[in-house]
Amino acid sequence: MKKIAGIGLLICASALALAFYVWAQPAQIKHYTADELMGFNCEELGTAHEDLIVAYHDAEIARHRREGSFSDDLGLPKEDDLPFVVLMRRFMQDNDIREADLAKPSSPSATLQRSSFYAEISGLCAGNPSLGAVEAMRQAATKLNLID
């Protein structure tokens, strides 16, 4: 009986150690390339965008649990890592749109997410989630006279 109890206890301890090891490992955060995002519709792009932000948030919470403090950037992804921005930059490159074309002269901290281009794309995507993300960018750029 003692052997069975000892084996059971050893199995439980091993399972607990394995669970702790898996829990303590930082999760890999999926970063998308523009090529991966090209075929996404607005809903899929929005989901990828949200998933990345949540993954960074979760990683920051895990870091806080391990180390007891938050990082200086509070676990926020860089703008250039966000799927929406990755695809916007590719669209801009493919259509010879410069960031200077999007920035307002009075805006000292211009980012793509604060541009009217981003706002227009977001509005189109909110109104039609099944619309292709690149097509939404094309419609927004045409409306804003960024392309013909």
Side-chain angles (χ1 to χ4, degrees):
M1 190 57 130
K2 286 184 179 181
K3 282 186 175 183
I4 294 173
I7 291 171
L9 185 59
L10 183 61
I11 290 172
C12 288
S14 297
L16 184 61
L18 179 63
F20 180 74
Y21 175 77
V22 170
W23 176 77
Q25 295 299 315
Q28 291 288 55
I29 297 175
K30 169 73 173 145
H31 288 91
Y32 292 89
T33 64
D35 290 334
E36 291 173 309
L37 299 168
M38 288 301 277
F40 280 30
N41 65 28
C42 288
E43 183 175 13
E44 293 165 333
L45 183 61
T47 299
H49 192 87
E50 182 178 339
D51 288 348
L52 184 85
I53 292 169
V54 169
Y56 268 83
H57 176 263
D58 290 349
E60 185 66 11
I61 296 299
R63 179 185 184 278
H64 184 269
R65 286 184 182 140
R66 282 190 316 273
E67 300 175 13
S69 65
F70 290 106
S71 59
D72 291 339
D73 63 4
L74 296 176
L76 297 173
K78 294 178 182 140
E79 183 182 53
D80 289 339
D81 292 336
L82 296 170
F84 215 112
V85 174
V86 169
L87 191 57
M88 280 178 65
R89 286 200 185 282
R90 176 62 163 287
F91 180 84
M92 290 167 59
Q93 178 185 2
D94 291 349
N95 292 280
D96 296 321
I97 301 170
R98 297 173 297 141
E99 277 191 58
D101 297 337
L102 306 178
K104 295 178 181 168
S106 62
S107 178
S109 61
T111 65
L112 284 182
Q113 293 182 83
R114 292 184 180 162
S115 69
S116 57
F117 185 45
Y118 183 91
E120 188 65 34
I121 297 165
S122 296
L124 288 167
C125 283
N128 188 0
S130 63
L131 179 64
V134 173
E135 179 57 28
M137 290 179 189
R138 186 171 319 289
Q139 289 179 21
T142 302
K143 183 176 181 181
L144 296 171
N145 295 320
L146 297 171
I147 60 174
D148 295 325

